[in-house]
Amino acid sequence: MSRRRGVLGCLLPLSGPFALFGEEALNGIQLGMDIFGGPGKGPVRELVIMDTQGQPEIAASAVEELADREKVVGIIGPLSSKTASAVAEKAQEMGVPVIALTQKEGITKGRGMVFRNFLTPTRQVDRILQAAVDEMGLRRFGILYPDNPYGRFYMSLFWRELNKKGGVVTAVESYDPDKTDFADEIRKMTGLYYPRPPSLVVRLRAESPMEEEENELTPKEPAPIVDFDAVFIPDTYQRVAMIAPQLVYHDVLDVQLLGTSLWQSQKLIELAGEYVQGAIFPSGFYGDYDDPALKAFVESYRANFESEPGILAATAYDTMRFLQKVMAQRQVRTRKDLREAILWSDGFHGVTGKIFFDIDGEVERKPILLTVRGRRMRLYR
């Protein structure tokens, strides 16, 4: 069957709940294709874009359409974990190489046509724990997570990896992903939600003695029991911006906040900057390096989209630039050619670091850590 040389497919959620993420990734892909600088001179001549709507069935059907009707040589995407498995299975079946931009674990395993250019949850959690346990010496952790697949997965992964390092989880609570008030969950984590046993009340009073008169005349609210040194919150920056101030309101003070790459947004600081100072979270992209190529990317993104590029935009940009390079070097004519070019590339230095893939199709790149200092995100140490 003939292939259209230089034509790539693109699978992104451009409508539905993940549309904002899909648009950011598409912005990066378009910059990587150099469509804003006039007709591109690279080997990628055309990009066929299809909307997955974040739905597995639609995404799988789109793979068939791109492969059979559009005759693309390869595909970039998808993003969401929900669609990743369906796309990977269908792409492998149809023999079309895919570079997925998803965190979904195991997506490349046993699938020679499937590659992934994104930080996996395991690598993110490993880097967080390296900082919290090995570098900071923290041992007791709380986990406050959304009761959805993303939150449950990260909760289990964090707990499991923490146990390997000798740390302990002393408080864990889930919350409805649609909630905006987290008082009950925080109170449960700090022993204020349920009545305290009389023996505990006696011990706490002994540890914080009051004048007898004052004790009788001024009943004191029970103090929270914050028996964790850090709290891990695997959720979006929007949700964290609501949770962080409520932790302080409920006297959960001086604990280290830990997150995932979804925290990386300047809007987190705009919404809750004073409450997330010193928080740390992993990322694959930092836009403040003094590097000419990085500066050019950031300035171009700002000029064309009037916003700051995030990790999705940067990763998508690098993915397209990587494909431009390998397709030029290897004179890619078939899908098999493209697979070989991706697999055996000596790497590409992009704005997210050097890109090359291991034999299992996983990108070889370690996450960096970011922290909040003042009104900006900075590299952690």
Side-chain angles (χ1 to χ4, degrees):
M1 183 182 294
S2 63
R3 309 284 177 255
R4 294 170 65 199
R5 188 175 176 184
V7 179
L8 291 177
C10 179
L11 291 174
L12 295 172
L14 301 175
S15 61
F18 304 109
L20 285 176
F21 301 112
E23 289 168 9
E24 182 183 342
L26 183 57
N27 292 346
I29 289 170
Q30 291 178 104
L31 278 184
M33 201 173 170
D34 199 27
I35 67 171
F36 299 102
K41 297 180 181 179
V44 179
R45 302 196 304 265
E46 183 180 340
L47 186 69
V48 182
I49 303 165
M50 302 198 74
D51 179 11
T52 68
Q53 302 176 37
Q55 299 300 319
E57 299 82 5
I58 294 174
S61 177
V63 174
E64 289 193 58
E65 189 168 350
L66 288 172
D68 285 344
R69 192 183 74 183
E70 301 295 342
K71 296 181 172 55
V72 301
V73 72
I75 296 172
I76 299 175
L79 300 184
S80 72
S81 295
K82 281 180 66 177
T83 56
S85 294
V87 167
E89 184 177 345
K90 184 60 68 173
Q92 183 67 27
E93 174 189 323
M94 304 198 71
V96 56
V98 167
I99 298 184
L101 311 176
T102 180
Q103 294 187 25
K104 177 75 173 177
E105 292 275 8
I107 194 69
T108 68
K109 191 173 182 180
R111 296 183 174 120
M113 284 293 179
V114 181
F115 301 83
R116 180 229 306 280
N117 183 21
F118 210 78
L119 295 178
T120 64
T122 298
R123 289 184 180 178
Q124 291 192 48
V125 168
D126 283 349
R127 186 64 187 93
I128 296 168
L129 290 176
Q130 180 187 352
V133 178
D134 300 339
E135 298 170 20
M136 297 181 185
L138 306 181
R139 290 292 179 270
R140 304 176 305 164
F141 293 79
I143 305 176
L144 183 58
Y145 67 97
D147 190 14
N148 59 20
Y150 182 89
R152 290 191 295 270
F153 179 85
Y154 265 97
M155 178 273 294
S156 298
L157 176 61
F158 185 90
W159 201 333
R160 183 176 70 245
E161 297 305 310
L162 176 64
N163 284 341
K164 293 178 183 178
K165 284 185 169 287
V168 294
V169 173
T170 57
V172 57
E173 289 294 334
S174 65
Y175 54 83
D176 185 325
D178 296 322
K179 285 191 71 170
T180 57
D181 182 353
F182 306 91
D184 286 350
E185 289 77 13
I186 295 171
R187 288 170 63 83
K188 287 177 182 178
M189 292 180 73
T190 58
L192 295 176
Y193 188 81
Y194 300 105
R196 293 178 173 179
S199 59
L200 178 60
V201 174
V202 170
R203 180 170 67 81
L204 291 175
R205 284 179 177 170
E207 291 174 355
S208 304
M210 299 173 61
E211 292 293 334
E212 189 173 334
E213 236 177 79
E214 183 184 355
N215 197 29
E216 290 176 0
L217 298 175
T218 313
K220 191 177 180 181
E221 287 292 319
I225 302 172
V226 184
D227 59 350
F228 43 88
D229 307 306
V231 59
F232 176 57
I233 309 172
D235 207 340
T236 64
Y237 73 84
Q238 297 98 324
R239 197 69 55 193
V240 174
M242 290 187 278
I243 293 173
Q246 293 185 45
L247 287 169
V248 173
Y249 179 81
H250 291 284
D251 295 323
V252 180
L253 308 172
D254 301 320
V255 297
Q256 177 66 54
L257 298 182
L258 309 172
T260 69
S261 60
L262 294 185
W263 285 35
Q264 188 177 357
S265 173
Q266 186 63 27
K267 291 181 180 178
L268 173 63
I269 298 176
E270 294 170 6
L271 294 169
E274 65 180 295
Y275 302 102
V276 293
Q277 294 297 307
I280 60 174
F281 47 92
S283 176
F285 169 71
Y286 179 61
D288 280 353
Y289 281 121
D290 189 17
D291 176 83
L294 178 57
K295 284 185 175 181
F297 163 68
V298 172
E299 289 171 4
S300 179
Y301 194 93
R302 288 171 179 162
N304 286 288
F305 306 112
E306 299 182 346
S307 62
E308 295 294 317
I311 185 172
L312 277 174
T315 302
Y317 172 82
D318 273 355
T319 301
M320 174 57 80
R321 301 289 288 179
F322 169 80
L323 286 171
Q324 294 267 35
K325 176 188 175 183
V326 299
M327 289 172 70
Q329 286 181 334
R330 298 284 292 249
Q331 294 295 310
V332 170
R333 293 180 174 82
T334 68
R335 293 168 182 169
K336 183 179 178 182
D337 287 344
L338 180 57
R339 177 190 178 275
E340 296 299 309
I342 294 171
L343 191 58
W344 303 115
S345 168
D346 59 358
F348 169 75
H349 290 277
V351 298
T352 60
K354 186 175 182 180
I355 299 174
F356 63 97
F357 295 88
D358 65 20
I359 195 67
D360 295 318
E362 293 283 5
V363 70
E364 285 284 349
R365 189 169 67 245
K366 293 181 179 179
I368 59 175
L369 274 187
L370 298 181
T371 187
V372 178
R373 294 180 193 150
R375 300 297 297 173
R376 299 188 69 179
M377 292 182 180
R378 303 284 189 181
L379 283 174
Y380 171 74
R381 296 187 182 177

